[in-house]
Amino acid sequence: MDSVDYDEKINVLLSDEKTYEKLATDATAKYKKQLMTILSKLRDEAKITQAQYDLLRPSGEVTPRLYATPKIHKPDNPLRPIVDYTGSIGYNTSRALADILAPIVGTSIHHVNNSQHLAQDLGEVILEKDEIFVSHDVVSLFTNTAVNQTFDIIRDRLSRDQDLKNRTRTQINICPSHLTTPYTTN
């Protein structure tokens, strides 16, 4: 894609005020301080070890980087935004949370592993004469996810996870209400 077209499309994407909020200043240092407070509290309460604290503690203040890839299968090739979180203050914490959540991911009957799995499942669908197949195009999936309901689902699945205590000493308390950052939402 031509860089002028890319710049124009990324600016149009970011101008969507229902999805994105323009910040007056870079809040990374503020969020790093909040994360350090939470991690220190978890360490002091023996919910994480010193070694875990050292692993989770952010060492720098890299701001996540946004880039986008064109959806070449769609008219006008709209952009698919991707946030590169590598090296950001929440990267290590996100990795650790992903490891804790991994065993409950994909346990829903509605989960598909990849496009081949989806095609296989769809191949088994039999429509009645009064039914039609409908496909929806999701726009800005993560920014349009019902966050509180998602936390409820995660909390419920973790509470039924018999092996959770072998992965973490922390209790199930998804997103305390005092946290409101781009990294966690209440």
Side-chain angles (χ1 to χ4, degrees), residues 87-152:
S88 71
I89 60 168
Y91 181 77
N92 293 338
T93 307
S94 297
R95 264 302 345 129
L97 288 173
D99 292 342
I100 291 169
L101 296 174
I104 65 170
V105 172
T107 58
S108 163
I109 61 169
H110 307 291
H111 178 82
V112 290
N113 296 322
N114 52 39
S115 57
Q116 289 176 326
H117 183 203
L118 176 62
Q120 179 184 351
D121 284 357
L122 290 176
E124 297 170 8
V125 173
I126 299 172
L127 295 177
E128 300 296 328
K129 289 184 180 191
D130 62 340
E131 296 176 325
I132 60 170
F133 186 79
V134 177
S135 174
H136 294 277
D137 186 12
V138 178
V139 177
S140 301
L141 173 64
F142 294 110
T143 56
N144 286 310
T145 298
V147 176
N148 290 330
Q149 291 89 336
T150 302
F151 286 152
D152 290 342

Side-chain angles (χ1 to χ4, degrees), residues 35-57 93 96-97 100 167-171:
L35 178 58
M36 293 297 296
T37 300
I38 293 166
L39 293 173
S40 296
K41 182 178 178 186
L42 289 172
R43 180 196 57 206
D44 295 346
E45 294 174 353
K47 293 180 179 176
I48 61 174
T49 65
Q50 181 65 42
Q52 289 170 317
Y53 173 85
D54 292 340
L55 177 69
L56 298 173
R57 182 177 45 115
T93 307
L97 288 173
I100 291 169
R167 295 191 311 277
T168 181
R169 290 191 250 173
T170 57
Q171 298 174 347

Side-chain angles (χ1 to χ4, degrees), residues 1 9 69-80 137:
M1 175 178 281
K9 287 182 180 192
T69 57
K71 299 179 185 180
I72 59 172
H73 61 287
K74 297 205 172 184
D76 289 335
N77 306 116
L79 297 179
R80 174 180 290 114
D137 186 12

